[in-house]
């Protein structure tokens, strides 16, 4: 009798030990697990900076003005800005691997659509679809790092992710210029499609789902405020380089700030926030979180100056 009781007691412990062993085995090579997300994040940032070089060619192909062509950049950033704040909530509803595969598939579809589009509107539509994919992949990568790597290696893993992301803007304009010189602007999108296929294959083969889906209640008002607020802010900041502080830009910025303020207040006072802003109360999280967007204006400004220098020769 005592032996049976000991077996009953030991059995759950054995199951737990077996589960822990499987978990360690799954994450024994965390960088291999993250490979698909690394490639996807690199692709997103490569796409962001490469298109600045192709804008003059788009104007020549479709007979559009530089202001209209600039929406290839603005629309991409706008899609990222709208989708990105909702990713944390999406990860609670959809398995991380499924969400990443959908995001990379969106990027693939958008790239192919832009590559063969006969009209600028379809090129822009494909570009916006690419932005949706990038807006999902980037935050998912950092969320997965927190769960795939052991605590003592998370800092180094974030450094690797940062190198992957920052390497793309370094080679993006040069690579785009070489491709346009040898082929055409459509070949850039075909390159994006090829890299997207590689990212999908790596994700399907090596990525595991480290994030638990809890399916919390959806706060529709928060989602709407997020879309309007962050969308207006991103559009306003993106357009100010070409339009200055025109009435439209000022209106977008004011609406964006007001709606984001209301959105932030609501997130702090509801049970299931779309974006948990209480994490900003932790100093060790707040400092790096604020440093990341602080780097973006400089990078965005350099891309804008590069685009304007191209316009001098092309106008």
């Amino acid at each position: 009798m005592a032996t049976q009781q000991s077996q009953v007691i030991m059995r759950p412990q054995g199951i737990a030990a077996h589960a822990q062993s499987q978990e360690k085995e799954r994450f024994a090579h965390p960088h291999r697990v993250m490979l698909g997300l690394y490639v996807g994040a690199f692709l997103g940032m490569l796409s962001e900076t490469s298109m600045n070089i192709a804008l003059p060619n788009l104007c020549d192909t479709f007979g559009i003005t530089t202001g209209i062509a600039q929406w290839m950049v603005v629309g991409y950033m706008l899609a990222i800005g709208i989708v990105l704040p909702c990713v944390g909530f999406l990860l609670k509803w959809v398995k991380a691997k499924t969400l990443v595969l959908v995001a990379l598939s969106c990027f693939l579809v958008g790239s192919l659509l832009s590559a063969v589009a006969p009209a600028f509107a379809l090129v822009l539509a494909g570009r916006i679809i690419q932005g949706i994919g990038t807006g999902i992949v980037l935050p998912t990568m950092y969320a997965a790092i927190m769960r795939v790597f052991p605590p003592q290696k998370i800092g180094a893993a974030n450094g690797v992710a940062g190198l992957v992301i920052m390497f793309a803007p370094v080679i993006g304009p040069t690579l785009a210029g070489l491709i346009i010189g040898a082929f055409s602007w459509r070949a850039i999108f075909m390159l994006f499609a090829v890299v997207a296929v590689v990212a999908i294959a790596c994700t399907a083969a090596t990525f595991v789902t480290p994030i638990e889906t809890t399916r919390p209640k959806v706060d529709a008002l928060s989602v709407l405020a997020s879309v309007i607020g962050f969308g207006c802010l991103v559009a306003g900041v993106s357009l100010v380089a070409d339009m200055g502080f025109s009435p439209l830009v000022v209106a977008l910025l004011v609406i964006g700030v007001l709606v984001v303020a209301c959105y932030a207040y609501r997130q702090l006072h509801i049970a299931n926030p779309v974006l948990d802003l209480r994490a900003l109360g932790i100093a060790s999280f707040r400092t790096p979180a604020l440093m990341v967007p602080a780097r973006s204006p400089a990078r965005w400004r350099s891309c804008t100056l590069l685009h304007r220098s191209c316009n001098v020769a092309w106008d």
Side-chain angles (χ1 to χ4, degrees):
M1 185 67 178
T3 303
Q4 292 178 350
Q5 289 178 347
S6 64
Q7 290 177 349
V8 172
I9 294 173
M10 290 298 293
R11 193 172 298 160
Q13 294 176 352
I15 294 174
H18 180 66
Q20 291 177 357
S21 176
Q22 284 187 327
E23 191 72 11
K24 289 180 179 179
E25 184 178 351
R26 291 167 70 197
F27 300 144
H29 303 284
H31 286 295
R32 187 171 64 188
V33 173
M34 297 292 300
L35 183 59
L37 284 171
Y38 288 157
V39 177
F42 170 82
L43 176 60
M45 300 307 296
L46 180 68
S47 177
E48 177 186 340
T49 54
S50 297
M51 287 310 301
N52 291 282
I53 304 300
L55 297 185
N57 301 83
L58 287 170
C59 290
D60 293 339
T61 301
F62 298 108
I64 57 177
T65 64
T66 58
I68 296 176
Q70 184 69 17
W71 276 97
M72 288 290 289
V73 179
V74 176
Y76 185 77
M77 298 298 296
L78 188 60
I80 294 175
I82 290 174
V83 172
L84 193 145
C86 301
V87 174
F89 193 81
L90 289 174
L91 287 171
K92 297 177 183 178
W93 273 87
V94 183
K95 288 185 177 180
K97 184 172 185 176
T98 302
L99 189 62
V100 172
L101 288 174
V102 169
L104 294 174
S105 298
C106 285
F107 204 102
L108 174 60
V109 171
S111 299
L112 294 175
L113 177 60
S114 295
V116 301
F120 177 75
L122 291 177
V123 179
L124 180 58
R127 184 70 172 157
I128 292 173
I129 295 173
Q130 286 182 322
I132 294 173
T134 301
I136 294 174
V137 168
L138 287 176
T140 304
M141 178 179 65
Y142 284 104
I145 284 174
M146 299 296 292
R147 292 163 175 82
V148 171
F149 289 85
Q152 68 273 16
K153 294 184 178 180
I154 288 177
N158 281 325
V160 172
L163 287 174
V164 170
I165 289 176
M166 297 310 297
F167 179 63
V170 173
I171 68 170
T174 303
L175 181 61
L178 292 174
I179 292 175
I180 292 174
F183 303 100
S184 72
W185 61 267
R186 295 183 186 273
I188 298 177
F189 289 105
M190 294 306 298
L191 173 65
F192 294 160
V194 172
V195 179
V197 170
V198 173
I200 290 172
C202 292
T203 301
T206 64
F207 187 63
V208 294
T209 303
I211 303 170
E212 182 183 359
T213 54
T214 57
R215 298 182 180 272
K217 182 181 178 181
V218 178
D219 183 41
L221 187 59
S222 293
V223 174
L224 180 62
S226 173
V227 171
I228 296 174
F230 289 106
C232 288
L233 274 180
V234 173
V237 172
S238 300
L239 292 173
V240 73
D242 288 324
M243 301 177 61
F245 288 97
S246 63
L248 174 61
V249 172
V250 172
L252 287 171
L253 292 174
V254 170
I255 292 173
V257 169
L258 292 176
V259 175
V260 168
C262 296
Y263 169 81
Y265 178 84
R266 184 169 181 82
Q267 301 317 293
L268 293 171
H269 292 84
I270 60 177
N272 296 305
V274 173
L275 187 64
D276 194 351
L277 298 178
R278 290 170 294 185
L280 294 174
I282 305 172
S284 59
F285 174 83
R286 180 175 61 250
T287 301
L290 295 177
M291 288 176 64
V292 172
R295 294 193 311 236
S296 298
R299 189 181 74 236
W300 176 247
R301 184 61 180 168
S302 66
C303 292
T304 303
L305 291 174
L306 178 61
H307 169 48
R308 286 184 172 179
S309 68
C310 294
N311 289 348
V312 171
W314 141 55
D315 288 336

